[in-house]
Amino acid sequence: IVNRNRMNLEEILPKVKEILDNVRRRGDEALREYTRKFDRVDIEDFRVYQEEIERAYEKVDDKVISAIERAYEKIRMFHEMQLEGIRDWEIEREGITTGQIVRPIESAGCYIPGGRAFYPSTVLMTVVPAKVAGVKRVVVVSPPYGKELNPVTLVASNIAGADEIYKV
């Protein structure tokens, strides 16, 4: 690990900034160009719709779906128990009040590595805690393999309760 190639951040960061600035300026048009460049595929609409999710269930073995559902239940239960230990509190000392107010954020983006590989565990371990915490909008984003996402990623995203899914 110590001897593996290290990224030169001074070289990479300007390239990343250029991509981000381009996407901010040009939106989906720029995303389409980068998807053609990096993923080698033309995608007109990045959003995944219910029909694509339903097709994914047809492609995934029932045993895999069952395993994802079992994992989802265990992860959800864990985070529900964890949530019970998180609470608002306030203390006053020497005329100064300090404390903690616990509130979920409005939305969360969950990046799931994709392409040829698939990581249902990453879906579950990012989407489920956000949903349990009360995040109103949980979005999954994953690189496409061809024009679609890996079916296992879609099934896991659906089971976990992702509100939106994008292939980009």
Side-chain angles (χ1 to χ4, degrees):
I1 292 174
V2 173
N3 295 325
R4 71 179 175 188
N5 292 339
R6 296 178 186 254
M7 290 188 279
N8 181 345
L9 289 180
E10 291 162 2
E11 198 177 295
I12 294 171
L13 288 178
K15 293 175 185 177
V16 171
K17 183 181 180 328
E18 179 184 329
I19 290 171
L20 292 174
D21 289 344
N22 194 13
V23 171
R24 279 189 194 102
R25 273 193 331 275
R26 299 178 45 237
D28 284 357
E29 181 183 336
L31 285 177
R32 284 185 197 89
E33 287 176 15
Y34 290 120
T35 301
R36 276 192 295 276
K37 179 178 179 178
F38 297 125
D39 298 317
R40 296 178 184 89
V41 66
D42 284 313
I43 295 180
E44 187 60 33
D45 190 353
F46 297 110
R47 179 101 187 235
V48 173
Y49 296 96
Q50 190 60 38
E51 303 81 40
E52 190 173 337
I53 295 169
E54 289 168 10
R55 284 194 311 271
Y57 273 90
E58 294 169 6
K59 296 175 185 176
V60 177
D61 186 279
D62 288 342
K63 290 179 181 177
V64 173
I65 295 171
S66 179
I68 292 170
E69 289 171 338
R70 281 193 317 275
Y72 162 78
E73 287 299 326
K74 290 178 182 186
I75 294 165
R76 183 184 50 78
M77 284 178 17
F78 174 84
H79 288 291
E80 285 174 349
M81 293 297 295
Q82 189 179 41
L83 191 60
E84 288 181 20
I86 301 172
R87 60 178 173 73
D88 295 354
W89 58 268
E90 188 176 283
I91 187 169
E92 184 182 338
R93 286 202 177 138
E94 300 175 13
I96 298 172
T97 303
T98 59
Q100 168 178 288
I101 299 173
V102 180
R103 301 287 180 266
I105 57 177
E106 286 292 315
S107 63
C110 302
Y111 173 77
I112 312 303
R116 294 180 185 166
F118 55 95
Y119 300 94
S121 58
T122 302
V123 174
L124 296 173
M125 295 302 287
T126 56
V127 174
V128 175
K131 296 302 284 186
V132 168
V135 175
K136 291 183 177 119
R137 178 177 176 242
V138 180
V139 178
V140 165
V141 177
S142 186
Y145 182 63
K147 290 194 178 234
E148 295 190 345
L149 290 182
N150 183 287
V152 175
T153 299
L154 284 178
V155 168
S157 297
N158 187 64
I159 290 169
D163 298 299
E164 299 171 37
I165 307 168
Y166 295 90
K167 48 192 169 200
V168 62

